[in-house]
Amino acid sequence: MASVFTRRVLAYIIDFFVVSAFMWIVSFLLSVFINPYGQFQVYMYFPYVVPVLIILYFVLLEKTKGATVGKALMYLRVISRNGYPISTVQAIVRNLTKIFWFPIIFDWALGKLFRRDDRIFSDFTKTIVVNEIE
């Protein structure tokens, strides 16, 4: 079986596709209901809608289920270091860097630079990603 890190990267890629599909649906609905005659005006709303959709996806699923679709498919789960499910605040803070691709890389690089086992935001939120297989 692949390492936890590899499975986390694969989970993030799967989540990217899930969020992308969800954004296609939302963009279609916005184009139909907000401005049915202006084909490309819906893209004016994307800088505001996309970050909200990304945060909602990650926060709601990690808070309620302990895993996003990608994490669930890779048999991973997010919990607090004390073993309990994560709180809403923990879910929000740990997923702030996922809004755009560069901050997540920066978050991971800082974790490696400071010799942490995980991302910096996981240290801030006192959360861990656990392997469901073992």
Side-chain angles (χ1 to χ4, degrees):
M1 191 70 173
S3 72
V4 172
F5 177 77
T6 303
R7 292 191 357 240
R8 286 181 73 178
V9 170
L10 291 172
Y12 188 70
I13 292 169
I14 292 167
D15 289 333
F16 170 80
F17 285 112
V18 170
V19 171
S20 295
F22 188 60
M23 284 190 292
W24 290 336
I25 294 167
V26 169
S27 67
F28 173 75
L29 294 175
L30 283 174
S31 68
V32 169
F33 293 114
I34 290 180
N35 193 4
Y37 302 109
Q39 288 179 310
F40 300 106
Q41 286 186 331
V42 70
Y43 296 113
M44 291 179 1
Y45 299 102
F46 264 44
Y48 309 105
V49 173
V50 170
V52 171
L53 290 176
I54 292 171
I55 284 293
L56 282 175
Y57 171 78
F58 283 99
V59 169
L60 290 176
L61 287 177
E62 286 185 359
K63 169 65 179 126
T64 59
K65 304 290 183 192
T68 60
V69 172
K71 283 186 183 76
L73 289 172
M74 293 292 117
Y75 300 102
L76 300 169
R77 189 167 48 103
V78 180
I79 60 171
S80 287
R81 286 198 181 141
N82 61 11
Y84 293 106
I86 64 173
S87 70
T88 303
V89 173
Q90 285 175 311
I92 291 169
V93 173
R94 73 174 264 107
N95 289 299
L96 284 175
T97 59
K98 292 179 182 169
I99 293 175
F100 300 103
W101 67 270
F102 183 74
I104 191 79
I105 294 170
F106 186 70
D107 184 17
W108 174 80
L110 280 177
K112 292 298 179 190
L113 181 68
F114 293 117
R115 292 189 170 91
R116 308 266 191 228
D117 290 334
D118 207 351
R119 301 174 20 220
I120 289 294
F121 273 57
S122 293
D123 280 349
F124 291 157
T125 59
K126 296 180 177 34
T127 58
I128 55 173
V129 176
V130 294
N131 186 355
E132 289 285 291
I133 293 174
E134 294 173 355

